[in-house]
Amino acid sequence: MEDYQALLTKESFERILELTKSATDPKSLFARAQAYLGLGRQEEGLSLLLRNEEKLFEENALFYMRLVIETRLSLKEFDEAYEDASRFAERPYVSQEVEEALHGLNGYIRAKEREIFLHEEKAPSQIRLLLREEKDDFTLLQMLGKIQSDPLPYRKEVEAVVEGDAHPMVKSFALMLLLSIKSEDPVTITKGGRSFRVVPSTLHAPFTGARFESLKKDISSYTKNTSLNDVASSLFEEYIIARFPEDPLEEEEADELIPSLFLIASEYLQSEDGKTILNQFSEDIQAAIRVNAKRIQNVLDANPPLKY
């Protein structure tokens, strides 16, 4: 009997189809499905897999799920892939490895869906419709990224994103696009329970300017703990975008801002470095830093990062 794996390696797909024409055993069915897929006959391969799901899932659940889901994705059958994942999850327990794969399956499908969507060419009319009607924040952010180099033709749609119900980060990015084209039309952006009526052209672009660069440099080398410095730097940028369209660098004093960020960072990392930093200051200043850190944390909590 010829070795199916050897034939698959040689891409002898037609030979496999010939050998497995009347086969019903799992090993042969898996090989036949892979041969169909190798020949670009995804519909036939998928149909074979689904018709024989019981025996193939029992034979090798992980391999079966991977073949089905990857085939669905290649056909851009995203809704059906989610249905498959739901059906797999309802099956009896097989192993911890299968359970872990099932746990991440929906996220994997969604990631691939977004990836495929991002690389598809979109007509201007499609982009306008998506900017106005898309509810998925990641997809919306991707569309804004697509038009970043030339947002002017989509100004009204971008304004609708700013004034809509998208994630705060998405609305902030949309407002930054309006700033980049120096739009003088007022918009209202609501973030963290607060509303701002602003003229984009008058705003200061986040992450720019000598003060930002100076603070960023100071934070990145503030302690010998590089992990703590990295987290504090990340929090610094999150805080800036969370406050946008306000410019916190106009009002924050570095002597209070930086230790406050490091106090929050040390709590994230469950590090004792925060206490060490605080001990450099008098009790009155320590109290002020704690209050400021709490205020910054409240802003961050009200404007959480976009989660995948």
Side-chain angles (χ1 to χ4, degrees):
M1 182 177 179
E2 294 185 64
D3 187 329
Y4 291 143
Q5 190 55 54
L7 292 172
L8 287 168
T9 301
K10 296 176 183 177
E11 299 187 357
S12 300
F13 303 130
E14 293 290 357
R15 178 59 179 161
I16 292 174
L17 293 182
E18 179 184 338
L19 291 171
T20 60
K21 188 173 183 178
S22 301
T24 58
D25 64 287
K27 183 178 179 181
S28 298
L29 291 173
F30 270 130
R32 187 172 182 83
Q34 289 175 275
Y36 277 132
L37 300 178
L39 290 167
R41 295 160 64 177
Q42 282 90 344
E43 291 88 351
E44 292 171 272
L46 181 61
S47 177
L48 174 67
L49 290 167
L50 295 175
R51 288 198 313 271
N52 296 277
E53 181 163 298
E54 288 300 323
K55 66 172 68 175
L56 295 180
F57 197 95
E58 183 177 348
E59 175 72 14
N60 191 331
L62 285 173
F63 188 49
Y64 177 76
M65 291 192 296
R66 182 170 70 81
L67 283 180
V68 170
I69 296 301
E70 292 296 345
T71 305
R72 290 289 198 196
L73 295 177
S74 71
L75 294 169
K76 299 182 181 179
E77 295 180 351
F78 304 113
D79 290 341
E80 291 84 351
Y82 288 118
E83 291 172 3
D84 292 330
S86 178
R87 186 176 68 257
F88 298 154
E90 292 173 355
R91 297 185 67 89
Y93 178 87
V94 176
S95 68
Q96 185 59 35
E97 188 178 14
V98 171
E99 290 299 306
E100 290 174 1
L102 286 169
H103 182 72
L105 200 48
N106 279 337
Y108 175 75
I109 295 168
R110 190 60 177 141
K112 289 296 182 182
E113 182 179 7
R114 287 168 175 149
E115 181 181 327
I116 292 170
F117 179 86
L118 177 61
H119 290 95
E120 287 180 338
E121 287 298 321
K122 300 286 188 302
S125 59
Q126 291 177 290
I127 294 174
R128 289 190 174 91
L129 183 64
L130 284 164
L131 289 173
R132 286 194 174 274
E133 299 186 0
E134 181 59 51
K135 300 303 181 185
D136 179 72
D137 289 312
F138 269 100
T139 301
L140 197 52
L141 194 60
Q142 287 176 333
M143 281 299 95
L144 292 171
K146 270 185 173 289
I147 66 170
Q148 184 175 4
S149 61
D150 186 21
L152 185 58
Y154 306 96
R155 181 172 59 83
K156 288 298 181 183
E157 288 74 24
V158 176
E159 288 176 351
V161 174
V162 170
E163 297 188 324
D165 299 323
H167 187 279
M169 182 183 291
V170 177
K171 293 196 283 188
S172 294
F173 185 54
L175 183 56
M176 288 166 66
L177 293 187
L178 295 178
L179 188 162
S180 73
I181 60 173
K182 297 180 171 57
S183 174
E184 297 184 354
D185 293 338
V187 290
T188 300
I189 181 171
T190 301
K191 297 171 56 181
R194 300 177 61 198
S195 291
F196 305 88
R197 185 70 172 170
V198 297
V199 176
S201 63
T202 66
L203 300 175
H204 176 76
F207 316 128
T208 62
R211 186 145 197 271
F212 169 77
E213 294 297 337
S214 175
L215 285 169
K216 182 75 172 175
K217 183 178 179 180
D218 289 343
I219 292 170
S220 67
S221 58
Y222 194 71
T223 75
K224 294 180 180 180
N225 185 335
T226 56
S227 296
L228 188 66
N229 295 345
D230 289 344
V231 173
S233 293
S234 179
L235 288 170
F236 176 51
E237 294 186 357
E238 286 180 28
Y239 179 57
I240 289 173
I241 202 65
R243 288 285 305 274
F244 186 65
E246 295 179 302
D247 182 5
L249 301 189
E250 290 185 350
E251 61 189 55
E252 299 277 2
E253 294 294 335
D255 289 346
E256 194 169 285
L257 172 63
I258 292 179
S260 297
L261 291 169
F262 273 90
L263 183 58
I264 299 171
S266 68
E267 292 173 355
Y268 282 14
L269 294 178
Q270 297 183 326
S271 164
E272 294 295 318
D273 290 274
K275 293 180 180 178
T276 301
I277 292 170
L278 279 179
N279 287 336
Q280 300 174 14
F281 301 94
S282 67
E283 290 186 6
D284 288 347
I285 295 178
Q286 286 186 36
I289 290 172
R290 288 194 179 93
V291 169
N292 197 48
K294 180 62 176 177
R295 179 184 60 78
I296 292 173
Q297 185 65 68
N298 288 340
V299 173
L300 295 174
D301 290 344
N303 297 271
L306 185 58
K307 293 184 178 179
Y308 202 68

